[in-house]
Amino acid sequence: MDDRDDRERQEDRPAGGGPDLPGESGPYPGAPGTAGQRDPGLFGPGSVTWQLHSDPMMWIAGIRALYLQALHPRAMRGVTQNSDFRNDAWGRLRRTAHFVGTISYGTTEAAERAGARVRRIHRHLKATDPATGERYGVDEPALLLWVHCAEVDSYLQVLCRSGIPLTDAQADRYVAEHRVGARLVGLDPALVPATTAGLADYFARVLPELDCGPEARDVDAFLRRPPVHPLLAPARELLWRQVASLAYQALPPFAHALYGRPAAAPETVSRRLTTAGSLLRRIPARVRWQLPPRHILRAMARLGADTRPSPYTLPGGAAILDGPGRAQRGDGGDSTRWRTPG
């Protein structure tokens, strides 16, 4: 989640309102004829991330992540006390999607800049515990780790349960790759789960800290019935409620228990996710990927058409894991000791 106030968002927004990527007004890093022409970025076409993050079910996964993140009261206070969540929830989701797209498909420079910007913003934000009066920074490692794990788990769970064939080894590789993203927001990759089993162990440990407090109730109320223009109210009732309901149902059982609203049986939810995935994937990729800021199309222009992502035909074994990109290393993208740049 992007914890920054309106002033900071204005400072970070590029002139003209375009995507916040280097060189947007001219040849971007990695465009044909530039020095970074073959820069694979932090992950590269050989990564599981490169393939999975092109899938349209990522949007439902993002909503699931928001539902899950809201259950950590200490983390959510950092959001609600530093931003107008209810009036800017759509912007928050877009900014999160832009950050994920940048680190997944952008150049190394673009990804590192995005991470440095997030760290700089978080460094100056504080929250207050209303029960104790304690003031704390939103960049506490424990809070950053919660947000990170909730996102990674949501992306992986929704994509796998919606019909993308992924081996256990590829799922573990995906979790390990995202220690790169953890480093970008200020975490030590060595302390971040590197396997699906490690991710499950993390959630078991953090469960006592979770609660459906006022902040989570606000998120739940917003996602179930977000404010829209009156002309869009019918679409909200017909479409959005189905999307938000599916994201909620995809949560783990402990989250349903905390929210106090039951969900269908896991097998039923998986069938619904598969159906939704099948429908969304009927929209041609060339149409979906045209939406600004066109991260995937720009990456293909930089690296070649043969790097086109295809999450539905992931090769078995290690083939998908051996391509370029710093995420192929087992250390969070840094082959020396861990450090936080910027």
Side-chain angles (χ1 to χ4, degrees), residues 200 238 292-293 337:
L238 289 174
R337 66 178 181 86

Side-chain angles (χ1 to χ4, degrees), residues 14 53-54 93 105 138 140 220 255 261 286 302 331:
H53 283 191
S54 66
L93 287 170
Y105 299 106
V138 303
E140 283 188 353
D220 186 27
R261 286 195 289 121
R286 63 180 178 274
R302 185 173 81 245
D331 53 12

Side-chain angles (χ1 to χ4, degrees), residues 235-315:
R236 177 186 62 191
E237 299 305 313
L238 289 174
L239 298 176
W240 175 257
R241 288 175 68 88
Q242 299 298 318
V243 170
S245 175
L246 187 56
Y248 176 84
Q249 292 179 66
L251 288 167
F254 72 78
H256 298 144
L258 288 170
Y259 274 112
R261 286 195 289 121
E267 298 80 7
T268 301
V269 176
S270 293
R271 286 197 298 270
R272 292 171 179 172
L273 287 167
T274 300
T275 299
S278 298
L279 291 173
L280 288 174
R281 290 161 193 152
R282 290 180 182 274
I283 303 172
R286 63 180 178 274
V287 174
R288 291 188 276 108
W289 295 345
Q290 287 289 344
L291 295 175
R294 306 175 73 204
H295 289 297
I296 296 173
L297 292 179
R298 295 175 66 189
M300 290 169 59
R302 185 173 81 245
L303 299 173
D306 60 341
T307 63
R308 175 190 177 95
S310 181
Y312 332 115
T313 56
L314 281 165

Side-chain angles (χ1 to χ4, degrees), residues 102-331:
T102 299
I103 68 171
S104 301
Y105 299 106
T107 63
T108 301
E109 178 188 357
E112 294 289 352
R113 283 185 56 187
R117 185 168 59 250
V118 168
R119 295 194 304 275
R120 183 179 69 249
I121 293 166
H122 286 178
R123 192 177 300 133
H124 299 291
L125 299 182
K126 303 289 183 181
T128 302
D129 186 325
T132 65
E134 176 197 2
R135 291 280 289 173
Y136 58 91
V138 303
D139 61 350
E140 283 188 353
L143 305 185
L144 297 177
L145 184 60
W146 167 252
V147 172
H148 169 84
C149 290
E151 288 182 354
V152 171
D153 182 72
S154 293
Y155 300 155
L156 186 61
Q157 289 291 327
V158 168
L159 293 174
C160 288
R161 295 177 70 185
S162 65
I164 292 181
L166 213 63
T167 67
D168 291 345
Q170 289 167 346
D172 283 343
R173 180 71 257 182
Y174 177 80
V175 175
E177 286 173 1
H178 279 272
R179 288 183 294 172
V180 173
R183 174 182 64 80
L184 288 180
V185 299
L187 285 165
D188 179 346
L191 303 179
V192 177
T195 64
T196 54
L199 199 57
D201 288 344
Y202 167 78
F203 283 114
R205 293 195 307 271
V206 80
L207 185 57
E209 302 174 32
L210 305 184
D211 184 44
C212 188
E215 297 87 357
R217 296 292 180 194
D218 284 345
V219 169
D220 186 27
F222 173 87
L223 290 175
R224 296 173 72 182
R225 192 178 177 84
V228 297
H229 189 280
L231 293 177
L232 297 177
R236 177 186 62 191
E237 299 305 313
L238 289 174
L239 298 176
W240 175 257
R241 288 175 68 88
Q242 299 298 318
V243 170
S245 175
L246 187 56
Y248 176 84
Q249 292 179 66
L251 288 167
F254 72 78
H256 298 144
L258 288 170
Y259 274 112
R261 286 195 289 121
E267 298 80 7
T268 301
V269 176
S270 293
R271 286 197 298 270
R272 292 171 179 172
L273 287 167
T274 300
T275 299
S278 298
L279 291 173
L280 288 174
R281 290 161 193 152
R282 290 180 182 274
I283 303 172
R286 63 180 178 274
V287 174
R288 291 188 276 108
W289 295 345
Q290 287 289 344
L291 295 175
R294 306 175 73 204
H295 289 297
I296 296 173
L297 292 179
R298 295 175 66 189
M300 290 169 59
R302 185 173 81 245
L303 299 173
D306 60 341
T307 63
R308 175 190 177 95
S310 181
Y312 332 115
T313 56
L314 281 165
I320 192 65
L321 312 177
D322 295 336
R326 297 196 303 172
Q328 307 312 309
R329 308 191 192 120
D331 53 12

Side-chain angles (χ1 to χ4, degrees), residues 31 35 47 56 60 81 84 116 139 176 276 313 317 320:
S47 67
I60 292 178
Q81 294 181 16
D84 187 357
D139 61 350
T313 56
I320 192 65

